[in-house]
Structures are given as structure tokens and as C-alpha cells.
Amino acid sequence: MSPSESTRIVLASRPEGRPTAQNFRSEHVTLPPLADGQVLLKILYLSLDPYMRGRMSAAKSYAAPTEIGQVMEGGTVAEVIESRDPVFKPGDLVLSYSGWQSRAVADGGQLRKLDSKSAPVTTALGVLGMPGFTAYAGLLTIGQPKRGETVVVAAASGPVGSAVGQIARIKGARAVGIAGGPEKCALVRDMFGFDAVVDHRDPDMANKLAAACPDGIDVYFENVGGHVWDAVFPLLNSFARIPVCGLVAQYNATGDFPGPDRLPVLMRQVLSKSLTIRGFIQREFVAAQGAAFREEMARWIAEGAVKYKEDIVEGLENAPGAFIGLLEGKNFGKLIVKL
């Protein structure tokens, strides 16, 4: 394949419920010549993240949907192989948002150089990238954990949840994780150092969460929803803070949600307990906190205060299957495709 040819995976159709392999299509294309200020990239690593499911839908959201026939979007680590931007030269490693393709043309102004000597470049897609920053900004800006408080986070073995719990402990709070299955629970407890962990697959999960939070919950970092929220809700203390960055349990839902309308109960508790529930998109905080995050998180990693785990899948052709598995909770740590 010549440097100007690329293999890419596009959205072939919009999923109804869970995505399937038929929703994706692989194509081979020839890239256009570079214009001034552009670079040609060879994609080395592709990040797979739950938010991509929302882009596959045409429903109105905070970002425009991926159009049918358009490349699936995503963060990437790439090598510059040709440049018409004086800031970049061949061989530079950069963070880009080139999506699910082997090569891409990008505007130099949209790239950030990476230093492979300071940290593995894959961390720019995980603990030192968007997932890590989501945890950092959401927890510290909205959650504002205080020493001695209890912070609970679901999907605690994932890149966002694991960072939330570890940052909470750095700030002197007690971290309680919720994860799926014995292996993930062991990872949360033994590698990430949470004070307690509860298996959301356990039929007695609600009672075990209550036992793990004898003083109630002061901060709940919401990224799942569903039955996990149902177990958390009764344990929220007065003045609890709930940063909401995702609702993975609902991403594949179609039609109306089953069951009675529980909004009146929720709103009554929001009022009577003075709860703060704040949805956020991490990019809201990048301008003000991005540089501080990279400096502080890099230091915590170097000191061993924050650990991370990556789940690397080989081959762009395996991205659709890995992404479908991600939505089913099959990944262990930050899911990355190595091209």
C-alpha cells in the first residue's frame, strides 16, 4: 500500500439496539495531496470509547452524528510521514482525531506532539488522555471530594472509573468501586487500590453496596446508569454530588424505558437532600484545566499514586468486534487498537 492509500472503517448503517458487524464497512481509499498546513499521518493506535455508540445514532446529542458512509471517529496516536506544516516533521508522534483508518490527512493546528520518553504514547488515549481527563475534571470540579468522604464509581476497572477512584484516594476520600465479575473486582481492589469493590452482577449487589458504604455516599461518579444507579440512589447523603459523564447501560436502548415514572421520586430527593447532579462533557474543561491535568496526572503516575491498565487489540479489521465487546463490558482496562 502506498503512503497515500488508506484502509478505513465507515458506518454502514445505524444500529437498532446493540451494534453488529453489519453496521460497519471496510473501504480502501486514495487520500488527497497535502495542502499548506497539513500533514499525512500513519495511524499507530486507535482509541475505542463508549461515546462512539452515540455517534452511530441519528438522535440529537451534544455532537453531530457520524453520517452513513463516514469514517468512524476516534482519538488516535499517529506518526507524521509527510508534512507541509513547519511545526511538524516526518517521524513526529502526535495525538490526532483521525478515526478508524490506517492513514489520514490532518490539519497541523489540530494535532498535539507526544513525547514517547516521558510516557508510553498509548497513555495519550487513556490515563493521560480524554478518559483520564474526564475523571480528573468531573471528579475535582463537580464531585469535589473531601477528606474522609465516600466516593463511589461504577465501571471501576475501566479507564475513567479506575482514575476516579485513585484520584479520590489521593484527595483523602474513601473509594468504593463497582465492577462486573470477580476478575474485574480483583483488578479494582488489588491493582487500583480501592478501599472496597462490589460486583454489579451479584444478585445481592444493593445490600453489599450498602455494607461497603456504612456512612452513605457523598460523591457518585455516574457513567453507567441502569440498576447500578438504582442501588446507589438510596445511599446518597445530603449534599451529595453526582458528576454524570455517561450512561452506558442505556446506550443500546430503543423506545421508551420500561417501568413506572420514577422522576418524581428523584426530584423529591434532589430537593430534600440538596443533591447536585451535573452532566458534563470533558471538553468543557479542557481550556482551563487541560495543561494542569497533564502535569499533575503525569506526576501521580511517576510516583505510583495512579496506575493504569490497557487492553490492546491487534488490527484495524478487529475494531468493530472489539467495540461491540466494549459495550458488553468485555474489555479489561483502556481499549486500544494497534494498527
Side-chain angles (χ1 to χ4, degrees):
M1 182 179 293
S2 73
S4 63
E5 293 181 354
S6 177
T7 300
R8 63 185 191 178
I9 294 177
V10 303
L11 181 65
S13 60
R14 301 204 184 279
E16 293 291 333
R18 294 181 181 274
T20 68
Q22 286 67 44
N23 298 130
F24 305 92
R25 182 175 69 249
S26 179
E27 298 180 344
H28 299 282
V29 297
T30 299
L31 299 174
L34 297 183
D36 288 343
Q38 291 186 324
V39 299
L40 179 62
L41 300 175
K42 177 184 178 182
I43 310 303
L44 304 178
Y45 296 98
L46 164 68
S47 176
L48 296 181
D49 299 282
Y51 78 82
M52 296 172 178
R53 174 60 182 85
R55 302 290 195 277
M56 298 176 75
S57 169
K60 186 176 181 180
S61 184
Y62 62 88
T66 301
E67 298 297 335
I68 301 298
Q70 186 177 342
V71 177
M72 287 289 296
E73 71 173 75
T76 59
V77 168
E79 178 186 354
V80 175
I81 55 178
E82 185 181 340
S83 176
R84 291 190 62 181
D85 184 321
V87 175
F88 300 96
K89 64 182 187 300
D92 284 344
L93 298 178
V94 299
L95 175 67
S96 73
Y97 292 89
S98 300
W100 299 26
Q101 53 188 331
S102 61
R103 284 175 170 77
V105 172
D107 293 331
Q110 298 177 348
L111 307 176
R112 177 165 65 85
K113 283 187 181 181
L114 300 175
D115 181 5
S116 60
K117 296 178 182 177
S118 61
V121 291
T122 51
T123 59
L125 302 175
V127 68
L128 282 170
M130 182 273 289
F133 183 68
T134 299
Y136 178 94
L139 180 64
L140 299 183
T141 306
I142 303 169
Q144 300 181 13
K146 300 174 180 63
R147 185 169 295 277
E149 289 189 329
T150 296
V151 175
V152 174
V153 60
S157 67
V160 176
S162 60
V164 166
Q166 292 177 92
I167 295 170
R169 296 193 79 242
I170 289 170
K171 298 301 180 180
R174 184 169 179 270
V176 177
I178 302 171
E183 290 180 280
K184 289 188 177 181
C185 286
L187 182 71
V188 171
R189 181 182 60 249
D190 300 336
M191 181 175 181
F192 299 135
F194 280 51
D195 296 284
V197 60
V198 176
D199 189 342
H200 71 74
R201 297 176 183 171
D202 191 319
D204 199 30
M205 177 259 191
N207 288 329
K208 290 187 176 178
L209 181 63
C213 303
D215 298 320
I217 297 172
D218 301 293
V219 180
Y220 174 55
F221 195 102
E222 175 65 288
N223 52 16
V224 171
H227 77 285
V228 173
W229 167 256
D230 293 339
V232 167
F233 182 57
L235 305 177
L236 294 171
N237 289 331
S238 294
F239 306 104
R241 290 82 68 195
I242 303 102
V244 181
C245 82
L247 297 166
V248 176
Q250 300 173 18
Y251 285 173
N252 290 325
T254 57
D256 295 331
F257 292 101
D261 179 6
R262 290 178 288 180
L263 182 60
V265 175
L266 170 62
M267 295 306 293
R268 185 169 65 246
Q269 291 298 301
V270 169
L271 175 61
S272 63
K273 288 186 174 182
S274 298
L275 303 178
T276 297
I277 302 177
R278 161 78 151 89
F280 75 101
I281 309 302
Q282 54 84 28
R283 66 188 182 201
E284 300 169 23
F285 305 112
V286 169
Q289 302 180 33
F293 155 72
R294 288 190 291 272
E295 179 181 345
E296 201 160 22
M297 183 63 87
R299 186 178 74 250
W300 289 337
I301 293 171
E303 294 171 349
V306 170
K307 297 180 173 63
Y308 63 92
K309 181 174 176 57
E310 297 174 335
D311 187 347
I312 297 182
V313 174
E314 298 270 352
L316 180 62
E317 69 277 7
N318 292 317
F323 175 68
I324 293 168
L326 169 69
L327 297 176
E328 298 171 350
K330 294 181 179 179
N331 60 300
F332 260 74
K334 176 70 194 86
L335 186 58
I336 297 171
V337 177
K338 181 179 180 181
L339 276 67

